[in-house]
Short mmCIF file of all heavy atoms in Angstrom, two decimals:
data_model
loop_
_atom_site.label_atom_id
_atom_site.label_comp_id
_atom_site.label_asym_id
_atom_site.label_seq_id
_atom_site.Cartn_x
_atom_site.Cartn_y
_atom_site.Cartn_z
N MET N 135 13.64 -37.11 -104.22
CA MET N 135 14.64 -36.17 -104.65
C MET N 135 15.57 -36.81 -105.67
O MET N 135 15.94 -36.17 -106.64
CB MET N 135 15.40 -35.66 -103.43
CG MET N 135 16.41 -34.62 -103.76
SD MET N 135 15.64 -33.12 -104.34
CE MET N 135 16.57 -31.92 -103.52
N ILE N 136 15.94 -38.05 -105.44
CA ILE N 136 16.84 -38.75 -106.36
C ILE N 136 16.19 -38.87 -107.73
O ILE N 136 16.84 -38.63 -108.75
CB ILE N 136 17.25 -40.13 -105.81
CG1 ILE N 136 18.15 -39.95 -104.58
CG2 ILE N 136 17.97 -40.95 -106.86
CD1 ILE N 136 18.45 -41.22 -103.84
N ASP N 137 14.89 -39.21 -107.77
CA ASP N 137 14.19 -39.30 -109.05
C ASP N 137 14.18 -37.95 -109.76
O ASP N 137 14.34 -37.88 -110.98
CB ASP N 137 12.76 -39.80 -108.84
CG ASP N 137 12.71 -41.24 -108.38
OD1 ASP N 137 13.65 -42.00 -108.69
OD2 ASP N 137 11.73 -41.61 -107.70
N PHE N 138 13.98 -36.88 -109.01
CA PHE N 138 13.96 -35.54 -109.58
C PHE N 138 15.32 -35.20 -110.21
O PHE N 138 15.38 -34.71 -111.33
CB PHE N 138 13.61 -34.53 -108.48
CG PHE N 138 13.61 -33.10 -108.94
CD1 PHE N 138 12.61 -32.62 -109.77
CD2 PHE N 138 14.62 -32.23 -108.55
CE1 PHE N 138 12.61 -31.31 -110.19
CE2 PHE N 138 14.63 -30.92 -108.97
CZ PHE N 138 13.61 -30.46 -109.80
N ILE N 139 16.39 -35.50 -109.52
CA ILE N 139 17.75 -35.23 -110.04
C ILE N 139 17.98 -36.05 -111.30
O ILE N 139 18.51 -35.55 -112.30
CB ILE N 139 18.82 -35.53 -108.97
CG1 ILE N 139 18.71 -34.54 -107.83
CG2 ILE N 139 20.22 -35.50 -109.58
CD1 ILE N 139 19.55 -34.90 -106.62
N ASN N 140 17.57 -37.32 -111.28
CA ASN N 140 17.77 -38.18 -112.45
C ASN N 140 16.99 -37.68 -113.67
O ASN N 140 17.45 -37.81 -114.79
CB ASN N 140 17.39 -39.62 -112.14
CG ASN N 140 18.40 -40.29 -111.24
OD1 ASN N 140 19.57 -39.95 -111.25
ND2 ASN N 140 17.95 -41.25 -110.45
N LYS N 141 15.81 -37.11 -113.46
CA LYS N 141 15.02 -36.59 -114.57
C LYS N 141 15.64 -35.33 -115.15
O LYS N 141 15.66 -35.14 -116.36
CB LYS N 141 13.59 -36.30 -114.12
CG LYS N 141 12.77 -37.53 -113.90
CD LYS N 141 11.37 -37.18 -113.41
CE LYS N 141 10.61 -38.44 -113.07
NZ LYS N 141 9.29 -38.15 -112.51
N ILE N 142 16.16 -34.46 -114.29
CA ILE N 142 16.73 -33.20 -114.75
C ILE N 142 18.09 -33.41 -115.39
O ILE N 142 18.40 -32.84 -116.42
CB ILE N 142 16.85 -32.20 -113.58
CG1 ILE N 142 15.46 -31.78 -113.14
CG2 ILE N 142 17.67 -30.99 -113.98
CD1 ILE N 142 15.45 -30.90 -111.94
N SER N 143 18.93 -34.19 -114.76
CA SER N 143 20.28 -34.40 -115.25
C SER N 143 20.69 -35.85 -115.04
O SER N 143 21.38 -36.19 -114.08
CB SER N 143 21.23 -33.46 -114.50
OG SER N 143 22.50 -33.51 -115.07
N PRO N 144 20.29 -36.74 -115.96
CA PRO N 144 20.55 -38.17 -115.77
C PRO N 144 22.03 -38.55 -115.77
O PRO N 144 22.39 -39.60 -115.27
CB PRO N 144 19.82 -38.83 -116.94
CG PRO N 144 19.58 -37.76 -117.93
CD PRO N 144 19.57 -36.46 -117.18
N ASN N 145 22.90 -37.68 -116.31
CA ASN N 145 24.33 -38.03 -116.34
C ASN N 145 25.05 -37.70 -115.04
O ASN N 145 26.21 -38.07 -114.87
CB ASN N 145 25.02 -37.33 -117.51
CG ASN N 145 24.88 -35.82 -117.45
OD1 ASN N 145 23.96 -35.31 -116.81
ND2 ASN N 145 25.76 -35.11 -118.11
N ILE N 146 24.40 -37.01 -114.10
CA ILE N 146 25.00 -36.71 -112.79
C ILE N 146 24.36 -37.60 -111.75
O ILE N 146 23.16 -37.64 -111.59
CB ILE N 146 24.81 -35.23 -112.41
CG1 ILE N 146 25.50 -34.33 -113.44
CG2 ILE N 146 25.36 -34.97 -111.02
CD1 ILE N 146 25.26 -32.86 -113.20
N LYS N 147 25.19 -38.33 -111.02
CA LYS N 147 24.69 -39.23 -109.98
C LYS N 147 24.43 -38.46 -108.68
O LYS N 147 25.19 -37.56 -108.34
CB LYS N 147 25.70 -40.33 -109.72
CG LYS N 147 25.92 -41.22 -110.93
CD LYS N 147 26.77 -42.40 -110.56
CE LYS N 147 27.05 -43.26 -111.75
NZ LYS N 147 25.97 -44.10 -112.14
N PRO N 148 23.35 -38.79 -107.96
CA PRO N 148 23.04 -38.10 -106.69
C PRO N 148 24.19 -38.17 -105.67
O PRO N 148 24.40 -37.24 -104.92
CB PRO N 148 21.81 -38.85 -106.18
CG PRO N 148 21.18 -39.43 -107.40
CD PRO N 148 22.32 -39.74 -108.32
N GLU N 149 24.96 -39.25 -105.69
CA GLU N 149 26.09 -39.37 -104.75
C GLU N 149 27.12 -38.28 -105.01
O GLU N 149 27.71 -37.75 -104.08
CB GLU N 149 26.77 -40.74 -104.88
CG GLU N 149 25.87 -41.92 -104.62
CD GLU N 149 25.12 -42.38 -105.86
OE1 GLU N 149 25.68 -42.39 -106.96
OE2 GLU N 149 23.94 -42.72 -105.73
N THR N 150 27.33 -37.95 -106.29
CA THR N 150 28.28 -36.90 -106.64
C THR N 150 27.82 -35.55 -106.11
O THR N 150 28.62 -34.79 -105.57
CB THR N 150 28.45 -36.82 -108.18
OG1 THR N 150 28.84 -38.11 -108.65
CG2 THR N 150 29.48 -35.80 -108.58
N ILE N 151 26.56 -35.27 -106.24
CA ILE N 151 26.00 -34.01 -105.75
C ILE N 151 26.14 -33.94 -104.24
O ILE N 151 26.57 -32.93 -103.68
CB ILE N 151 24.53 -33.85 -106.18
CG1 ILE N 151 24.47 -33.71 -107.70
CG2 ILE N 151 23.89 -32.64 -105.49
CD1 ILE N 151 23.07 -33.77 -108.25
N ARG N 152 25.82 -35.02 -103.56
CA ARG N 152 25.90 -35.04 -102.09
C ARG N 152 27.33 -34.81 -101.60
O ARG N 152 27.56 -34.16 -100.60
CB ARG N 152 25.36 -36.37 -101.56
CG ARG N 152 25.13 -36.32 -100.05
CD ARG N 152 24.70 -37.62 -99.52
NE ARG N 152 25.89 -38.45 -99.48
CZ ARG N 152 25.91 -39.72 -99.17
NH1 ARG N 152 24.81 -40.34 -98.90
NH2 ARG N 152 27.02 -40.39 -99.15
N GLN N 153 28.31 -35.31 -102.33
CA GLN N 153 29.70 -35.16 -101.93
C GLN N 153 30.22 -33.75 -102.15
O GLN N 153 31.19 -33.35 -101.52
CB GLN N 153 30.58 -36.15 -102.69
CG GLN N 153 30.33 -37.59 -102.29
CD GLN N 153 31.04 -38.57 -103.19
OE1 GLN N 153 31.65 -38.20 -104.19
NE2 GLN N 153 30.94 -39.84 -102.86
N THR N 154 29.59 -32.98 -103.05
CA THR N 154 30.09 -31.65 -103.35
C THR N 154 29.36 -30.54 -102.61
O THR N 154 29.77 -29.39 -102.67
CB THR N 154 29.99 -31.36 -104.87
OG1 THR N 154 28.62 -31.48 -105.28
CG2 THR N 154 30.84 -32.33 -105.67
N ILE N 155 28.29 -30.86 -101.90
CA ILE N 155 27.51 -29.84 -101.20
C ILE N 155 27.75 -29.98 -99.70
O ILE N 155 27.63 -31.06 -99.13
CB ILE N 155 26.01 -29.99 -101.50
CG1 ILE N 155 25.77 -29.72 -102.98
CG2 ILE N 155 25.18 -29.06 -100.64
CD1 ILE N 155 24.36 -29.95 -103.41
N GLU N 156 28.10 -28.89 -99.06
CA GLU N 156 28.27 -28.88 -97.61
C GLU N 156 26.91 -28.66 -96.94
O GLU N 156 26.15 -27.78 -97.36
CB GLU N 156 29.21 -27.75 -97.18
CG GLU N 156 30.66 -28.04 -97.44
CD GLU N 156 31.20 -29.18 -96.60
OE1 GLU N 156 30.85 -29.26 -95.41
OE2 GLU N 156 31.95 -29.99 -97.14
N PRO N 157 26.59 -29.45 -95.93
CA PRO N 157 25.33 -29.24 -95.23
C PRO N 157 25.30 -27.89 -94.51
O PRO N 157 26.34 -27.35 -94.12
CB PRO N 157 25.28 -30.37 -94.20
CG PRO N 157 26.41 -31.27 -94.50
CD PRO N 157 27.34 -30.58 -95.42
N LYS N 158 24.12 -27.34 -94.34
CA LYS N 158 23.95 -26.09 -93.62
C LYS N 158 24.40 -26.28 -92.17
O LYS N 158 24.22 -27.34 -91.59
CB LYS N 158 22.46 -25.71 -93.66
CG LYS N 158 22.14 -24.38 -93.01
CD LYS N 158 20.68 -24.02 -93.22
CE LYS N 158 19.86 -24.59 -92.09
NZ LYS N 158 18.48 -24.14 -92.10
N THR N 159 25.05 -25.27 -91.60
CA THR N 159 25.51 -25.34 -90.22
C THR N 159 24.32 -25.50 -89.29
O THR N 159 23.34 -24.78 -89.39
CB THR N 159 26.29 -24.06 -89.84
OG1 THR N 159 27.38 -23.93 -90.74
CG2 THR N 159 26.80 -24.13 -88.41
N ARG N 160 24.41 -26.49 -88.42
CA ARG N 160 23.32 -26.77 -87.50
C ARG N 160 23.85 -26.82 -86.09
O ARG N 160 25.00 -27.12 -85.85
CB ARG N 160 22.68 -28.11 -87.86
CG ARG N 160 22.09 -28.07 -89.26
CD ARG N 160 21.28 -29.28 -89.64
NE ARG N 160 20.36 -29.65 -88.60
CZ ARG N 160 20.13 -30.92 -88.25
NH1 ARG N 160 20.75 -31.89 -88.86
NH2 ARG N 160 19.27 -31.20 -87.31
N ARG N 161 22.98 -26.52 -85.14
CA ARG N 161 23.33 -26.53 -83.72
C ARG N 161 22.87 -27.85 -83.10
O ARG N 161 21.84 -28.40 -83.47
CB ARG N 161 22.66 -25.38 -82.98
CG ARG N 161 22.92 -23.99 -83.56
CD ARG N 161 24.35 -23.64 -83.75
NE ARG N 161 25.03 -23.36 -82.50
CZ ARG N 161 26.31 -23.07 -82.41
NH1 ARG N 161 27.05 -23.01 -83.49
NH2 ARG N 161 26.86 -22.83 -81.26
N CYS N 162 23.64 -28.33 -82.14
CA CYS N 162 23.30 -29.54 -81.42
C CYS N 162 22.11 -29.27 -80.51
O CYS N 162 22.14 -28.31 -79.73
CB CYS N 162 24.51 -29.99 -80.60
SG CYS N 162 24.17 -31.43 -79.54
N PRO N 163 21.06 -30.08 -80.57
CA PRO N 163 19.90 -29.85 -79.71
C PRO N 163 20.18 -30.18 -78.24
O PRO N 163 19.46 -29.73 -77.36
CB PRO N 163 18.83 -30.78 -80.28
CG PRO N 163 19.58 -31.83 -81.02
CD PRO N 163 20.85 -31.18 -81.50
N SER N 164 21.25 -30.93 -77.98
CA SER N 164 21.56 -31.31 -76.60
C SER N 164 22.38 -30.25 -75.86
O SER N 164 22.12 -29.97 -74.70
CB SER N 164 22.35 -32.62 -76.58
OG SER N 164 21.59 -33.66 -77.14
N CYS N 165 23.39 -29.66 -76.55
CA CYS N 165 24.30 -28.75 -75.84
C CYS N 165 24.53 -27.42 -76.57
O CYS N 165 25.31 -26.60 -76.11
CB CYS N 165 25.63 -29.43 -75.59
SG CYS N 165 26.60 -29.64 -77.09
N ASN N 166 23.91 -27.23 -77.73
CA ASN N 166 24.04 -26.03 -78.55
C ASN N 166 25.42 -25.91 -79.22
O ASN N 166 25.80 -24.85 -79.69
CB ASN N 166 23.71 -24.76 -77.76
CG ASN N 166 23.24 -23.65 -78.68
OD1 ASN N 166 22.62 -23.91 -79.69
ND2 ASN N 166 23.55 -22.42 -78.32
N GLY N 167 26.18 -27.00 -79.28
CA GLY N 167 27.44 -27.01 -80.02
C GLY N 167 27.14 -27.05 -81.52
O GLY N 167 25.98 -27.03 -81.93
N THR N 168 28.15 -27.14 -82.33
CA THR N 168 27.97 -27.21 -83.78
C THR N 168 27.98 -28.66 -84.23
O THR N 168 28.85 -29.43 -83.83
CB THR N 168 29.11 -26.45 -84.49
OG1 THR N 168 29.14 -25.12 -84.02
CG2 THR N 168 28.92 -26.45 -85.99
N LEU N 169 27.01 -29.04 -85.08
CA LEU N 169 27.02 -30.37 -85.66
C LEU N 169 27.89 -30.34 -86.91
O LEU N 169 27.72 -29.48 -87.77
CB LEU N 169 25.60 -30.82 -86.02
CG LEU N 169 24.67 -31.08 -84.84
CD1 LEU N 169 23.29 -31.47 -85.34
CD2 LEU N 169 25.22 -32.17 -83.93
N THR N 170 28.84 -31.25 -86.98
CA THR N 170 29.76 -31.31 -88.12
C THR N 170 29.73 -32.71 -88.72
O THR N 170 29.35 -33.67 -88.05
CB THR N 170 31.20 -30.96 -87.70
OG1 THR N 170 31.61 -31.88 -86.67
CG2 THR N 170 31.30 -29.56 -87.18
N VAL N 171 30.16 -32.82 -89.97
CA VAL N 171 30.21 -34.12 -90.62
C VAL N 171 31.36 -34.92 -90.03
O VAL N 171 32.49 -34.44 -89.93
CB VAL N 171 30.38 -33.97 -92.15
CG1 VAL N 171 30.51 -35.33 -92.82
CG2 VAL N 171 29.23 -33.19 -92.74
N ARG N 172 31.05 -36.14 -89.64
CA ARG N 172 32.05 -37.07 -89.09
C ARG N 172 31.99 -38.36 -89.89
O ARG N 172 31.02 -38.60 -90.60
CB ARG N 172 31.73 -37.39 -87.61
CG ARG N 172 31.55 -36.21 -86.72
CD ARG N 172 32.87 -35.62 -86.35
NE ARG N 172 32.67 -34.54 -85.39
CZ ARG N 172 33.59 -34.05 -84.66
NH1 ARG N 172 34.80 -34.52 -84.72
NH2 ARG N 172 33.34 -33.06 -83.83
N TYR N 173 33.02 -39.19 -89.76
CA TYR N 173 33.06 -40.46 -90.47
C TYR N 173 33.34 -41.59 -89.50
O TYR N 173 34.25 -41.49 -88.66
CB TYR N 173 34.14 -40.42 -91.56
CG TYR N 173 33.83 -39.37 -92.61
CD1 TYR N 173 34.34 -38.09 -92.50
CD2 TYR N 173 32.98 -39.67 -93.66
CE1 TYR N 173 34.05 -37.12 -93.45
CE2 TYR N 173 32.67 -38.70 -94.61
CZ TYR N 173 33.20 -37.44 -94.49
OH TYR N 173 32.89 -36.47 -95.42
N SER N 174 32.56 -42.66 -89.62
CA SER N 174 32.75 -43.82 -88.76
C SER N 174 33.97 -44.61 -89.23
O SER N 174 34.52 -44.34 -90.31
CB SER N 174 31.51 -44.71 -88.80
OG SER N 174 31.38 -45.31 -90.08
N LYS N 175 34.37 -45.59 -88.45
CA LYS N 175 35.50 -46.44 -88.83
C LYS N 175 35.20 -47.21 -90.12
O LYS N 175 36.11 -47.59 -90.84
CB LYS N 175 35.83 -47.42 -87.71
CG LYS N 175 36.40 -46.75 -86.48
CD LYS N 175 36.67 -47.75 -85.38
CE LYS N 175 37.18 -47.03 -84.14
NZ LYS N 175 37.37 -47.95 -83.02
N GLN N 176 33.92 -47.42 -90.40
CA GLN N 176 33.51 -48.13 -91.61
C GLN N 176 33.43 -47.19 -92.82
O GLN N 176 33.18 -47.62 -93.93
CB GLN N 176 32.14 -48.80 -91.42
CG GLN N 176 32.14 -49.92 -90.40
CD GLN N 176 32.11 -49.42 -88.96
OE1 GLN N 176 31.64 -48.32 -88.68
NE2 GLN N 176 32.61 -50.23 -88.04
N GLY N 177 33.63 -45.87 -92.60
CA GLY N 177 33.61 -44.90 -93.68
C GLY N 177 32.26 -44.24 -93.92
O GLY N 177 32.11 -43.47 -94.86
N ASN N 178 31.27 -44.54 -93.08
CA ASN N 178 29.95 -43.92 -93.22
C ASN N 178 29.97 -42.52 -92.62
O ASN N 178 30.62 -42.28 -91.62
CB ASN N 178 28.88 -44.77 -92.51
CG ASN N 178 28.80 -46.16 -93.09
OD1 ASN N 178 28.89 -46.34 -94.30
ND2 ASN N 178 28.66 -47.15 -92.23
N SER N 179 29.25 -41.59 -93.24
CA SER N 179 29.21 -40.22 -92.73
C SER N 179 27.99 -40.00 -91.85
O SER N 179 26.95 -40.64 -92.05
CB SER N 179 29.23 -39.22 -93.88
OG SER N 179 28.14 -39.43 -94.74
N PHE N 180 28.13 -39.13 -90.87
CA PHE N 180 27.05 -38.76 -89.97
C PHE N 180 27.34 -37.39 -89.40
O PHE N 180 28.45 -36.88 -89.54
CB PHE N 180 26.88 -39.80 -88.85
CG PHE N 180 28.08 -39.92 -87.93
CD1 PHE N 180 28.12 -39.21 -86.74
CD2 PHE N 180 29.15 -40.73 -88.25
CE1 PHE N 180 29.22 -39.31 -85.89
CE2 PHE N 180 30.25 -40.84 -87.41
CZ PHE N 180 30.29 -40.12 -86.23
N MET N 181 26.35 -36.76 -88.80
CA MET N 181 26.54 -35.48 -88.14
C MET N 181 26.82 -35.75 -86.66
O MET N 181 26.09 -36.50 -86.01
CB MET N 181 25.29 -34.60 -88.26
CG MET N 181 24.90 -34.27 -89.69
SD MET N 181 26.09 -33.27 -90.55
CE MET N 181 25.81 -31.69 -89.80
N GLY N 182 27.91 -35.17 -86.14
CA GLY N 182 28.28 -35.36 -84.75
C GLY N 182 28.56 -34.02 -84.09
O GLY N 182 28.96 -33.06 -84.74
N CYS N 183 28.34 -33.94 -82.81
CA CYS N 183 28.53 -32.70 -82.06
C CYS N 183 30.02 -32.37 -81.94
O CYS N 183 30.86 -33.23 -81.72
CB CYS N 183 27.91 -32.83 -80.67
SG CYS N 183 28.02 -31.31 -79.72
N SER N 184 30.32 -31.08 -82.08
CA SER N 184 31.70 -30.62 -81.96
C SER N 184 32.22 -30.70 -80.53
O SER N 184 33.42 -30.60 -80.31
CB SER N 184 31.82 -29.18 -82.48
OG SER N 184 31.01 -28.31 -81.71
N ASN N 185 31.33 -30.88 -79.57
CA ASN N 185 31.73 -30.99 -78.17
C ASN N 185 31.97 -32.43 -77.73
O ASN N 185 32.04 -32.71 -76.54
CB ASN N 185 30.68 -30.34 -77.26
CG ASN N 185 30.65 -28.85 -77.43
OD1 ASN N 185 31.69 -28.23 -77.65
ND2 ASN N 185 29.48 -28.26 -77.36
N TYR N 186 32.10 -33.35 -78.69
CA TYR N 186 32.44 -34.73 -78.36
C TYR N 186 33.81 -34.76 -77.69
O TYR N 186 34.68 -34.01 -78.10
CB TYR N 186 32.46 -35.57 -79.64
CG TYR N 186 32.82 -37.02 -79.42
CD1 TYR N 186 31.86 -37.92 -79.06
CD2 TYR N 186 34.14 -37.45 -79.54
CE1 TYR N 186 32.18 -39.26 -78.84
CE2 TYR N 186 34.48 -38.77 -79.32
CZ TYR N 186 33.50 -39.67 -78.97
OH TYR N 186 33.83 -40.97 -78.74
N PRO N 187 34.07 -35.49 -76.66
CA PRO N 187 33.31 -36.57 -76.06
C PRO N 187 32.35 -36.13 -74.94
O PRO N 187 31.63 -36.95 -74.40
CB PRO N 187 34.37 -37.51 -75.52
CG PRO N 187 35.49 -36.60 -75.13
CD PRO N 187 35.44 -35.47 -76.14
N THR N 188 32.35 -34.84 -74.58
CA THR N 188 31.43 -34.39 -73.55
C THR N 188 29.99 -34.63 -73.99
O THR N 188 29.16 -35.10 -73.21
CB THR N 188 31.64 -32.89 -73.26
OG1 THR N 188 33.00 -32.70 -72.89
CG2 THR N 188 30.74 -32.41 -72.15
N CYS N 189 29.67 -34.30 -75.24
CA CYS N 189 28.34 -34.50 -75.79
C CYS N 189 28.44 -35.54 -76.90
O CYS N 189 29.26 -35.41 -77.80
CB CYS N 189 27.78 -33.19 -76.35
SG CYS N 189 26.15 -33.38 -77.11
N LYS N 190 27.64 -36.56 -76.85
CA LYS N 190 27.71 -37.65 -77.82
C LYS N 190 26.53 -37.66 -78.79
O LYS N 190 26.23 -38.68 -79.40
CB LYS N 190 27.80 -38.99 -77.08
CG LYS N 190 29.11 -39.14 -76.32
CD LYS N 190 29.16 -40.47 -75.62
CE LYS N 190 30.49 -40.78 -75.01
NZ LYS N 190 31.06 -39.87 -74.10
N HIS N 191 25.89 -36.50 -78.99
CA HIS N 191 24.74 -36.42 -79.89
C HIS N 191 25.18 -36.64 -81.34
O HIS N 191 26.17 -36.07 -81.80
CB HIS N 191 24.05 -35.05 -79.78
CG HIS N 191 22.88 -34.92 -80.69
ND1 HIS N 191 21.64 -35.42 -80.36
CD2 HIS N 191 22.76 -34.38 -81.92
CE1 HIS N 191 20.81 -35.17 -81.36
NE2 HIS N 191 21.47 -34.55 -82.31
N THR N 192 24.47 -37.52 -82.07
CA THR N 192 24.73 -37.76 -83.48
C THR N 192 23.42 -37.79 -84.25
O THR N 192 22.35 -38.03 -83.67
CB THR N 192 25.46 -39.11 -83.73
OG1 THR N 192 24.64 -40.16 -83.25
CG2 THR N 192 26.82 -39.12 -83.03
N GLU N 193 23.50 -37.55 -85.55
CA GLU N 193 22.33 -37.64 -86.43
C GLU N 193 22.77 -38.27 -87.74
O GLU N 193 23.90 -38.03 -88.21
CB GLU N 193 21.75 -36.25 -86.71
CG GLU N 193 21.19 -35.59 -85.49
CD GLU N 193 20.62 -34.20 -85.78
OE1 GLU N 193 20.53 -33.80 -86.96
OE2 GLU N 193 20.26 -33.53 -84.81
N ASN N 194 21.89 -39.07 -88.34
CA ASN N 194 22.19 -39.67 -89.63
C ASN N 194 22.11 -38.62 -90.73
O ASN N 194 21.36 -37.66 -90.63
CB ASN N 194 21.20 -40.80 -89.93
CG ASN N 194 21.39 -41.99 -89.03
OD1 ASN N 194 22.50 -42.27 -88.61
ND2 ASN N 194 20.32 -42.69 -88.74
N ILE N 195 22.86 -38.87 -91.79
CA ILE N 195 22.78 -38.05 -93.00
C ILE N 195 22.02 -38.87 -94.02
O ILE N 195 22.37 -40.04 -94.27
CB ILE N 195 24.18 -37.67 -93.54
CG1 ILE N 195 24.91 -36.81 -92.52
CG2 ILE N 195 24.07 -36.96 -94.88
CD1 ILE N 195 26.33 -36.47 -92.93
N ALA N 196 20.99 -38.30 -94.62
CA ALA N 196 20.20 -39.01 -95.62
C ALA N 196 21.09 -39.42 -96.79
O ALA N 196 21.94 -38.67 -97.22
CB ALA N 196 19.06 -38.14 -96.11
N LYS N 197 20.86 -40.63 -97.27
CA LYS N 197 21.66 -41.16 -98.40
C LYS N 197 20.93 -40.96 -99.69
O LYS N 197 19.80 -40.94 -99.84
CB LYS N 197 21.97 -42.62 -98.19
CG LYS N 197 22.92 -42.82 -97.03
CD LYS N 197 23.30 -44.25 -96.92
CE LYS N 197 24.28 -44.42 -95.77
NZ LYS N 197 24.77 -45.74 -95.65
#
């Protein structure tokens, strides 16, 4: 995907696109809560369940 973006529009970096697009709303497979974008103490983003701390389901976001 990154190669495709670079070929179409080399002056736009994939990181910029990722920061401006909101992920599609997804449901937690463990408890059916909403997965939302969260940030770790180190500043990394991931998808985490809205029912935290009851549900601790997380998913990585592709870089």
